[in-house]
């Protein structure tokens, strides 16, 4: 498939689906059309085996681009233009990909429905007149892919922000192991959890992008060093045909939607039919993981967002900045940040305050360690981030290769329901995605493959099945997803 | 290395030599949910089980966050209620005994080999040391090589380029004169 054939379709969809609010900004159509004017013979030379050459890719609006504004869907950055491109954007452009636009999101990534945006909510519409959540925070990226306004998209995933919208919109969303993809030029929300993620129509496209971006970046201090990357390479590249599949029983919560549970069982049965084996496992700290996440992420956010004062960059409130007895930048921050961002900053300031830091922030970091222990306890492959003596690995041969579970407990709620909900109600949607984020594990959401009926009489697929692997087992997770 | 030779000990018609359960068992396995995520939500009938944050503490936290104070008492109460609900939600972490658990601060390579490669040794700063020379006989002191360093790639940066308000080479911030 080449741009010349598809540029017009993407452009048409961009105008047809404008009301769904997937994009904060788009490149001029002429950019796409000009690229499609390059002759096929010139093109053939460049393409070779390059899978992303000429492909229109959407970029979440918290990833810096110098040609388009980077707003993170926040009022405080509504006119911000970055002086440089993020490493992930540069890598894709160097390989000939075309950035088509910047996608709408929850402000700074804080939300699960892409409704907390300065530019209005992202809307998923599966039939005429419907308005449901596209998931968040990378809802714009997911919707842009699902409605063929681009070929694939980059998002960011801090606690499920790529996987949840992928599930709701019926596409593939991949969060790689923490530290593999560069965060340089990606606006930090909770830096110890933030990862760049990839959204596409199928696993093959997602993997093509992952392969381009999976390189060490000296500009990102959390980029996994080359020496560690070398160790991650599978020492036994030939995998067994039969995988040991873990079923995490702690993901069977009482509010799991019956449709989701049914899809989960059906997928497990299919895997078994193909010769894989099924093994129930327990990950007990799952029950505290969500709470730990909502301590850690807001705490890191309160620190990461301290730099937004409207002075050196970003938008300022009108008039005099300070008032006697007030913090100089409070007015700008009060006007520039949306309510959910302010709520999380405040919660973060509390967990980091002298009276609470031990019982909240440090305790949550300890829970995070226990979540990592849980995963290490069930996977056959030892975690490559730690030293292992020979005895542990032979003892653990009984472990599983991957875990298979739902991506979200629910189906997409209507936007009116989201609006009237208590803000902490939507935190519960992240219950299945947060544990892998806390442990930094690779996780992918793929459509369940089963359509369910809608009130309109039509049907759709808004259930995602999640595959989680041991740290560094990104390729195994992608391969397993291809077979699902 | 795993082996997949057939075994006569199959528990199920399509049984797997390396164990596991049969898909027909899944319904029963999932019949009893393990827990309720709704248990994290604050109760609707009584006050959330969370530490009390006072009005004074709220104002202090807002100052620390460089956010404006509430304009009305209703707004203040709403902020306190939200914080109480959030603290109830995250309070579940207190249930676990974490004695002797090492906090996980960042996902990074924690092997001894990685620690070694990242340790800063005299070798790592050799380049900088070579630019120094000792001068003087009675009062030995260090003189740095003053040859200009090429730092164009980091200094060629328009610091004021993204500022909305500036004057000459300065950022502008307007503050009201504090009351005498």
């Amino acid at each position: 498939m080449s741009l010349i054939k598809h540029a017009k379709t993407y452009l048409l969809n961009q105008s047809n689906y404008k009301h769904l609010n997937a994009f904060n900004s788009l490149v001029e159509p002429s950019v796409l059309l000009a690229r499609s004017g390059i002759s096929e013979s010139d093109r053939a030379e460049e393409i070779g085996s390059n899978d992303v050459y000429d492909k229109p890719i959407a970029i979440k609006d918290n990833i810096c681009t110098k040609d388009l504004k980077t707003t993170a869907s926040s009022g405080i950055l509504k006119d911000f233009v970055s002086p440089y491109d993020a490493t992930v954007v540069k890598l894709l452009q160097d390989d000939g990909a075309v950035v088509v636009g910047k996608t709408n999101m929850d402000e700074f990534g804080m939300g699960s429905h892409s409704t907390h945006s300065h530019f209005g909510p992202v809307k998923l519409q599966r039939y005429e007149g419907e308005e449901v959540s596209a998931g968040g925070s990378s809802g714009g990226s997911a919707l842009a892919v699902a409605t063929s306004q681009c070929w694939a998209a980059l998002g960011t995933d801090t606690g499920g922000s790529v996987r949840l919208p992928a599930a709701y919109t019926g596409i593939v969303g991949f969060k790689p192991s923490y530290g593999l993809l560069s965060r340089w030029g990606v606006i930090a929300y909770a830096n110890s959890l933030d990862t760049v993620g990839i959204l596409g129509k199928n696993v093959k496209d997602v993997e093509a992008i992952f392969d381009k971006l999976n390189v060490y970046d000296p500009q990102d201090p959390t980029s996994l060093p080359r020496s560690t990357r070398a160790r991650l390479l599978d020492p036994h590249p030939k995998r067994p045909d039969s995988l040991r599949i873990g079923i995490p029983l702690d993901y069977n919560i009482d509010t799991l939607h019956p449709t989701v549970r049914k899809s989960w069982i059906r997928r497990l049965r299919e895997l078994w039919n193909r010769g894989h084996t099924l093994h129930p496992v327990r990950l007990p700290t799952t029950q505290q993981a969500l709470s730990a996440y909502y301590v850690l992420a807001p705490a890191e956010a309160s620190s990461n967002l301290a730099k937004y004062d409207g002075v050196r960059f970003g938008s300022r409130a009108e008039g005099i900045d300070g008032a006697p007895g007030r913090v100089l930048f409070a007015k700008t921050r009060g006007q520039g940040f949306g309510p959910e961002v302010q709520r999380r900053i405040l919660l973060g300031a509390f967990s980091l305050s002298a009276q609470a830091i031990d019982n909240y922030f440090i305790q949550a970091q300890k829970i995070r360690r226990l979540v990592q222990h849980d995963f290490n306890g069930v996977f056959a492959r030892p975690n490559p981030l730690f030293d292992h003596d020979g005895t542990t690995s032979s003892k653990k041969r009984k472990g599983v290769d991957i875990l298979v579970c739902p991506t979200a407990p629910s189906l997409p709620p209507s936007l009116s329901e989201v609006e009237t909900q208590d803000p902490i109600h939507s935190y519960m949607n992240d219950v299945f995605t947060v544990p892998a984020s806390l442990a930094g594990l690779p996780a992918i959401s793929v459509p369940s493959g089963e359509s369910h009926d809608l009130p309109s009489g039509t049907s759709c697929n808004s259930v995602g099945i999640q595959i989680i692997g041991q740290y560094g087992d990104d390729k195994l997770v992608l391969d397993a997803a291809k077979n699902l | 290395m795993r082996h997949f030779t057939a075994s006569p000990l199959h528990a199920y018609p399509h049984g797997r030599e390396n164990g596991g359960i049969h898909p027909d068992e899944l319904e029963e396995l999932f019949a009893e949910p393990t827990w309720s995520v709704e248990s994290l939500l604050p109760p609707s009938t009584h006050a959330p089980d969370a530490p009390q944050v006072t009005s004074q503490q709220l104002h202090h936290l807002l100052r620390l966050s460089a956010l404006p104070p509430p304009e009305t008492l209703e707004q203040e109460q709403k902020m306190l209620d939200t914080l109480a609900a959030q603290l109830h939600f995250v309070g579940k972490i207190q249930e676990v005994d974490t004695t002797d658990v090492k906090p996980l601060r960042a996902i990074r390579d924690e092997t001894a080999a990685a620690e070694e490669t990242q340790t800063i040794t005299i070798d790592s700063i050799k380049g900088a040391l070579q630019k120094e020379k000792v001068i003087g006989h009675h009062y030995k002191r260090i003189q740095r090589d003053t040859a200009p360093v090429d730092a164009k790639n980091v200094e060629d940066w328009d610091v004021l380029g993204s500022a909305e308000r500036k004057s000459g080479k300065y950022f502008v911030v307007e503050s009201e004169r504090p009351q005498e």
Side-chain angles (χ1 to χ4, degrees), chain A residues 5-22:
Chain A
K5 256 163 54 193
H6 293 274
K8 285 197 174 119
T9 317
Y10 291 128
L11 287 170
L12 190 66
N13 286 333
Q14 285 169 13
S15 86
N16 283 348
Y17 296 115
K18 200 175 182 331
H19 61 290
L20 301 181
N21 223 4

Side-chain angles (χ1 to χ4, degrees), chain B residues 1-178:
Chain B
M1 184 77 185
R2 296 178 190 133
H3 301 277
F4 300 108
T5 47
S7 153
L9 298 170
H10 286 166
Y12 301 99
H14 308 284
R16 305 283 184 255
E17 180 239 338
N18 49 355
I21 62 161
H22 188 276
D24 287 348
E25 292 175 78
L26 288 170
E27 289 285 353
E28 202 192 322
L29 189 69
F30 289 145
E32 276 296 311
T34 44
W35 68 294
S36 162
V37 67
E38 307 254 331
S39 67
L40 301 177
L41 292 179
S44 51
T45 47
H46 52 97
D49 179 18
Q52 279 292 316
V53 177
T54 63
S55 159
Q56 200 194 350
Q57 281 172 310
L58 175 73
H59 283 258
H60 177 62
L61 290 173
L62 285 165
R63 275 193 74 90
L64 289 176
S65 310
L67 289 172
E71 277 163 23
T72 60
L73 275 178
E74 288 77 47
Q75 260 187 26
E76 176 174 304
Q77 195 50 52
K78 206 172 159 221
M79 282 179 166
L80 288 169
D81 290 346
T82 303
L83 200 53
Q86 287 173 319
L87 292 178
H88 179 96
F89 189 90
V90 302
K92 203 173 171 73
I93 57 168
Q94 322 274 347
E95 285 174 5
V96 186
D97 180 8
T98 54
T99 321
D100 298 330
V101 176
K102 202 171 115 201
L104 176 54
R105 298 193 174 90
I107 304 291
R108 57 187 181 83
D109 194 336
E110 297 189 39
T111 60
E115 197 174 311
E116 201 173 312
T117 48
Q118 278 159 34
T119 305
I120 295 172
T121 63
I122 204 89
D123 263 356
S124 359
I125 55 168
K126 216 173 182 175
L129 291 176
Q130 276 167 351
K131 288 187 182 162
E132 292 178 347
K133 61 178 177 189
V134 179
I135 54 161
H137 291 291
H138 302 294
Y139 300 104
K140 284 196 164 60
R141 52 206 189 275
I142 286 170
Q143 193 176 57
R144 263 191 344 131
D145 179 2
T146 51
V149 179
D150 179 20
K152 192 162 161 43
N153 61 333
V154 280
E155 286 177 357
D156 189 18
W157 166 44
D158 181 8
V159 178
L160 293 163
S162 298
E164 250 181 30
R165 298 172 67 188
K166 53 199 160 190
S167 174
K169 55 176 188 169
Y170 299 101
F171 295 114
V172 173
V173 180
E174 256 181 280
S175 175
E176 244 170 49
R177 200 178 281 276

Side-chain angles (χ1 to χ4, degrees), chain A residues 23-326:
Chain A
F23 284 95
N24 288 345
S25 54
L26 282 164
V27 292
E28 286 295 316
S30 56
V31 174
L32 269 175
L33 293 169
R35 276 291 289 263
S36 64
I38 301 168
S39 79
E40 283 295 332
S41 54
D42 287 350
R43 193 185 304 276
E45 219 169 277
E46 288 246 20
I47 300 173
S49 62
N50 187 346
D51 303 312
V52 305
Y53 186 84
D54 254 3
K55 296 285 164 50
I57 294 178
I59 308 288
K60 189 177 179 180
D61 213 8
N62 60 346
I63 302 177
C64 287
T65 48
K66 56 177 195 249
D67 296 333
L68 291 167
K69 283 180 195 174
T70 300
T71 71
S73 284
S74 178
I76 212 159
L77 290 176
K78 63 182 193 292
D79 294 314
F80 177 68
V81 180
S82 164
Y84 56 83
D85 284 320
T87 300
V88 287
V89 170
K90 194 175 175 302
L91 286 170
L92 287 177
Q93 285 177 335
D94 287 350
D95 272 317
V98 187
V99 172
V100 292
K102 304 295 291 291
T103 55
N104 201 354
M105 55 183 281
D106 283 300
E107 185 177 359
F108 288 104
M110 298 184 199
S112 305
H113 298 295
S114 299
T115 50
H116 301 300
S117 165
H118 179 75
F119 305 103
V122 177
K123 298 166 187 171
L124 171 61
Q125 199 168 64
R126 297 166 300 181
Y127 59 89
E128 190 66 31
E130 190 199 32
E131 279 188 2
V132 296
S133 161
S137 66
S138 311
S141 285
L143 195 72
V145 172
T147 52
S148 296
Q149 302 185 56
C150 57
W151 173 69
L154 294 188
T156 57
D157 191 313
T158 304
S161 285
V162 158
R163 291 162 282 162
L164 180 64
Y168 280 0
T169 57
I171 61 164
V172 176
F174 178 47
K175 177 201 97 74
S177 296
Y178 179 88
L180 288 187
L181 270 46
S182 167
R183 290 193 303 113
W184 196 77
V186 178
I187 295 177
Y189 158 23
N191 49 286
S192 83
L193 297 151
D194 292 340
T195 47
V196 171
I198 305 158
L199 299 115
K201 281 250 170 84
N202 57 59
V203 182
K204 196 178 135 271
D205 296 350
V206 166
E207 187 170 21
I209 295 179
F210 172 70
D211 289 343
K212 299 286 178 206
L213 302 182
N214 183 19
V215 288
Y216 171 66
D217 180 9
Q219 285 181 290
D220 172 7
T222 59
S223 180
L224 206 65
R226 285 198 185 91
S227 51
T228 309
R229 282 169 195 264
R231 230 167 355 91
L232 292 185
L233 293 176
D234 198 340
H236 308 290
K238 188 161 168 28
R239 294 198 191 97
D241 296 331
S242 166
L243 291 175
R244 292 171 61 88
I245 301 197
I247 310 167
L249 296 182
D250 298 273
Y251 287 50
N252 183 29
I253 57 172
D254 68 352
T255 44
L256 186 63
H257 196 286
T259 305
V260 179
R261 190 178 280 123
K262 217 176 86 198
S263 294
W264 187 14
I265 291 175
R266 205 183 65 112
R267 277 308 202 182
L268 290 171
R269 183 180 288 278
E270 269 174 26
L271 287 164
W272 188 85
N273 284 339
R274 286 182 206 167
H276 307 295
T277 57
L278 306 176
H279 308 267
V281 297
R282 293 304 301 260
L283 300 164
T285 321
T286 303
Q287 301 188 20
Q288 288 83 27
L290 194 57
S291 301
Y293 174 82
Y294 277 100
V295 172
L296 296 173
E300 292 187 18
S302 76
S303 164
N304 283 321
L305 270 56
K307 61 174 170 273
Y308 298 99
D309 52 21
V311 176
R312 293 148 302 156
F313 58 88
S315 298
R316 285 271 273 283
E318 292 281 318
I320 292 168
D321 296 292
R326 289 212 185 169

